[in-house]
């Protein structure tokens, strides 16, 4: 392991155990039920979807996370347990109840998250029946966390993992983040399940503020298709207070290093999700500068990032900047089009609101890459924003036209 | 002609002449320059895009239409003359100047509209050089209007025409609407060029109110991809005041019949545009009822209509109502998900927020049709809205991934 360098494989985090088993929720027969168990005294900060239609596990976990204390997180893929009414809520509660009984903890100490198809009853028996092997295979190794990352995938092509270490007061702390998300991905929150584990002994208050900020700079800056989900759940779990017997709050000199590490892990996860957006062939960084405010810049960047015309043009390696300009124009903020400048893939294509001649072959080559930047400067202020997204390809249509069948 | 029944072929409108020629703006060599000339005394009401990035012809026509008086409308396809700076504005002004000189009218009497690729200089010589044959082929026949409808098409597969007659005070008036629009189509305004001709002698004030309402109920209730364009222009032209020497205002007993006819023509055009959305295989009516307000209903309906996940599911004939519920949930309005009911293609799939069992084969068949209805009832009020959209197919990606090349 390279110290303090972010990596795409998990690091074991002191105090945490993990496991995953196939419970028959995925048709493929792959692992689809994952468990993370934290040591006694673990603390959490949890953020949920902003949607008005929320899944049963979100309702249940919201209550269980209210005291910022939790000892276990159980995640299933293959079924969202959303729009399942009272039966769905009961299934989420039953899951917590059965797991807590098996682990010898309070039911309120269990968080539950689900991802998959909406509106289909969760086959609760499959989950209950598999708790024993799930608990039986709990393990403190990086491999166990890797298994969790694989198990929570749905249409994801790659598992999302980011990990690094950070030193505070001569103690090396570990941060490992795991996430899933590929379609139905938009900010507020970015339609994913995301779990960040650390042994850094953050106080509850520090965790809550830190994590809200970290998610704002990462998952909330990413959009695959603008479709916010019913199940978004991001969990930060810390074993530190219990392990080390003291906590670090925002006034501690080491706090900013911890915050930076956790934020960097979340950013890496967000970029990986955008890059693995359903059908994506490339990651697109949309940067907007020169807006009157950061908020304006963000609004314009998101409108560009979610424009089907921009996304299909980029799939075709077409530097069709008129579509970028048109998307910016409909973002709902007021500005002077004669001051707008646009670069795509590093090539200046628009200046003072009008075309800059460029070589089409060169532009094609600049766009035919795994990562492409669109930069729009509005030329009226200092507001700045960066949004990660991906292109819109035939495969997005294929994946989503045939998802349930 | 069937009296007072809407039809998809144009009716000649007393007083109006029309023509179209190939000016070399479309690579195909097809007609791409169209002209409509109104008789002396003609009045107009014109609505433009709400985008902050507007094309040169929009800027020029806004000024020329300010007095609600115009005698000619020239439209080119193949080049949007947008993001073309001062050169573009001059090109639009030069077009008006040259046309007005040739027709012997004031330059301010000319409206100009463009559609096509953004950010490329308008080859003005091609337009000026073709004014003579364009004017020379002016004709009062329905065929001439049909030619105009064909000439303004870009990625449109079918010309958009709707026409009907209406009787007021024993006089039969004619309304013929022509439009184009296929991609970059969203409300505010619905990213199209739309021209409605009538000989009904509406007063200027009546025209303005009537047309704003008609467009609100038609083009502003339609979305193909949520991408508002830089060039939206909708023109209502009336030859009546000049022809008949009197006007009809809002207090006239016949006003509502005229308004209904013009609105119906605009609705027919809007539905045709949605149905011919880029790559569309079907027209989708999204109806939302039971919202607290019509505004709320409209917000939810638009969010559903613009959801890539909903649109791809419908392309796949998949009654994946969870995506409809998820889109409704992220629309930004507050409601009780336990009261939500959804039907897709007439099949009840969700009631009280949870699944209703249905036959997948029957649902597939119900969706495998040229027109499909999604109905969401929020169960909390009387608010209602209807939005027309289309599905999202491989061909949308193909058309827009390869548009410029």
């Amino acid at each position: 392991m390279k110290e303090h360098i972010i990596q795409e494989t998990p690091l074991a985090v002191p105090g945490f155990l993990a496991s995953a088993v196939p419970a028959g929720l995925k048709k493929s027969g792959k692992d689809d039920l994952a468990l993370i168990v934290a040591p006694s005294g673990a603390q959490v900060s949890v953020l949920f979807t902003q949607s008005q239609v929320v899944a049963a596990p979100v309702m249940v976990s919201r209550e269980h996370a209210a005291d910022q204390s939790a000892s276990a997180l159980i995640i299933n893929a293959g079924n969202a347990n959303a729009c399942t009414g009272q039966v769905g809520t009961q299934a989420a509660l039953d899951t917590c109840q059965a797991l807590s009984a098996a682990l010898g903890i309070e039911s309120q100490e269990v968080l539950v998250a689900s991802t998959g198809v909406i509106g289909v009853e969760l086959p609760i028996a499959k989950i209950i029946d598999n708790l024993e092997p799930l608990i039986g295979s709990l393990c403190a190794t990086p491999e166990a966390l890797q298994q969790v990352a694989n198990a929570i995938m749905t249409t994801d092509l790659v598992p999302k993992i980011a990990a690094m270490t950070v030193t505070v007061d001569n103690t090396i702390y570990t941060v490992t983040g795991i996430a899933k998300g590929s379609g139905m991905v938009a900010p507020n929150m970015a339609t994913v399940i995301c779990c960040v584990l650390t042994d850094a002994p953050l106080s509850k208050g520090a965790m809550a503020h830190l994590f809200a900020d970290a998610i704002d700079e990462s998952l909330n800056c990413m959009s695959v298709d603008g479709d916010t989900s019913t199940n978004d759940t991001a969990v930060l779990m810390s074993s530190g207070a219990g392990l080390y017997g003291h906590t670090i709050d925002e006034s501690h000199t080491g706090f900013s290093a911890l915050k930076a590490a956790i934020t960097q892990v979340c950013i890496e996860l967000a970029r990986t999700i955008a890059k693995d957006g359903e059908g994506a062939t490339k990651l697109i960084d949309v940067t907007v500068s020169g807006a009157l405010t950061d908020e304006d810049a963000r609004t314009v960047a998101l409108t560009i990032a979610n424009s089907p015309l921009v996304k299909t043009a980029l799939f075709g390696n077409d530097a069709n900047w008129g579509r970028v300009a048109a998307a910016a124009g409909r973002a709902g903020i007021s500005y002077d089009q004669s001051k707008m400048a646009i670069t795509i893939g590093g090539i200046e294509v628009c200046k003072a609101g009008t075309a800059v001649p460029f070589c089409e072959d060169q532009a094609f080559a600049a766009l035919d890459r795994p990562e492409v930047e669109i930069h729009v400067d509005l030329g009226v202020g200092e507001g700045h924003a960066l949004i990660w997204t991906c292109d819109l390809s035939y495969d997005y249509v294929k994946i989503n036209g045939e998802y349930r069948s």
Side-chain angles (χ1 to χ4, degrees), chain A:
Chain A
M1 138 191 142
K2 284 183 192 161
E3 205 164 311
H4 305 348
I5 301 291
I6 200 153
Q7 62 176 57
E8 293 179 7
T9 49
L11 292 169
V13 184
F16 288 99
L17 304 173
S19 63
V21 297
L25 296 163
K26 285 182 184 167
K27 286 179 187 167
S28 64
K30 291 184 181 172
D31 284 353
D32 48 22
L33 190 62
L35 177 63
I36 290 172
V37 174
S40 169
Q43 298 177 171
V44 296
S45 172
V46 192
L47 299 166
F48 296 102
T49 180
Q50 298 298 305
S51 176
Q52 291 285 320
V53 174
V54 301
V58 169
M59 297 187 222
V60 170
S61 292
R62 246 185 209 152
E63 288 198 15
H64 289 188
D67 64 355
Q68 285 197 249
S69 156
S71 299
L73 168 64
I74 182 165
I75 311 173
N76 75 272
N79 186 308
N81 194 12
C83 297
T84 44
Q86 190 47 45
V87 175
T89 309
Q90 196 56 52
L93 287 168
D94 288 350
T95 302
C96 295
Q97 182 59 46
L99 182 62
S100 66
L103 291 174
I105 58 175
E106 292 293 315
S107 185
Q108 277 87 336
E109 293 289 295
V110 179
L111 303 180
V112 56
S114 301
T115 177
V117 66
I118 296 171
V120 176
E121 266 183 37
L122 186 71
I124 181 71
K126 291 186 179 176
I127 291 180
I128 303 290
D129 292 350
N130 282 287
L131 289 181
E132 198 182 305
L134 188 66
I135 294 168
S137 54
L138 280 167
C139 196
T141 59
E143 289 71 26
L145 291 170
Q146 179 76 51
Q147 252 191 299
V148 169
N150 288 328
I152 64 176
M153 289 163 63
T154 53
T155 53
D156 305 63
L157 297 179
V158 298
K160 280 85 181 172
I161 301 163
M164 68 184 295
T165 53
V166 52
T167 301
V168 172
D169 292 344
N170 296 318
T171 305
I172 298 175
Y173 296 112
T174 306
V175 181
T176 290
I178 291 168
K180 68 84 47 182
S182 187
M184 209 179 262
V185 169
N188 283 320
M189 282 231 323
T191 328
V192 295
I193 291 174
C194 169
C195 174
V196 180
L197 309 179
T198 185
D199 61 334
L202 289 156
S203 69
K204 285 185 180 178
M207 280 181 80
H209 290 131
L210 179 159
F211 198 47
D213 287 351
I215 294 298
D216 241 16
E217 287 184 39
S218 56
L219 300 185
N220 284 346
C221 291
M222 162 191 91
S223 184
V224 168
D225 50 16
D227 267 317
T228 305
S229 116
T230 48
N231 288 56
D232 303 330
T233 304
V235 182
L236 172 63
M237 293 185 109
S238 166
S239 59
L243 290 185
Y244 304 111
H246 70 94
T247 60
I248 292 177
D249 67 14
E250 287 152 294
S251 64
H252 191 284
T253 52
F255 175 76
S256 62
L258 291 175
K259 181 171 181 174
I262 290 170
T263 303
Q264 203 182 329
V265 163
C266 291
I267 287 175
E268 189 62 27
L269 292 174
R271 285 173 55 91
T272 312
I273 290 172
K275 195 167 187 168
D276 190 31
E278 286 176 341
T281 71
K282 64 193 66 163
L283 174 69
I284 301 166
D285 288 358
V286 180
T287 304
V288 172
S289 60
L292 285 177
T293 63
D294 286 353
E295 183 71 19
D296 275 5
R298 184 179 161 81
T299 301
V300 173
L302 264 177
T303 308
I304 294 167
N306 281 327
S307 159
L309 290 173
V310 171
K311 292 161 87 87
T312 45
L314 288 167
F315 169 61
N317 298 323
D318 180 1
N320 195 332
W321 61 270
R323 295 183 183 173
V324 175
R330 71 174 166 88
I333 68 142
S334 160
Y335 59 88
D336 180 353
Q337 72 183 78
S338 74
K339 293 185 173 160
M340 178 172 63
I342 303 173
T343 65
I344 299 182
I347 297 170
E348 186 178 46
V349 291
C350 171
K351 199 173 170 178
T354 64
V356 174
F358 62 90
C359 166
E360 293 279 357
D361 289 348
Q362 193 192 338
F364 187 96
L367 296 186
D368 193 18
R369 289 181 185 163
E371 298 194 10
V372 170
E373 196 205 21
I374 297 178
H375 181 189
V376 177
D377 190 282
L378 301 178
V380 294
E382 300 294 319
H384 183 276
L386 167 60
I387 296 286
W388 299 290
T389 188
C390 59
D391 55 341
L392 173 56
S393 72
Y394 295 116
D395 279 352
Y396 181 87
V397 178
K398 185 177 169 66
I399 292 163
N400 288 300
E402 301 172 5
Y403 175 52
R404 287 197 325 159
S405 37

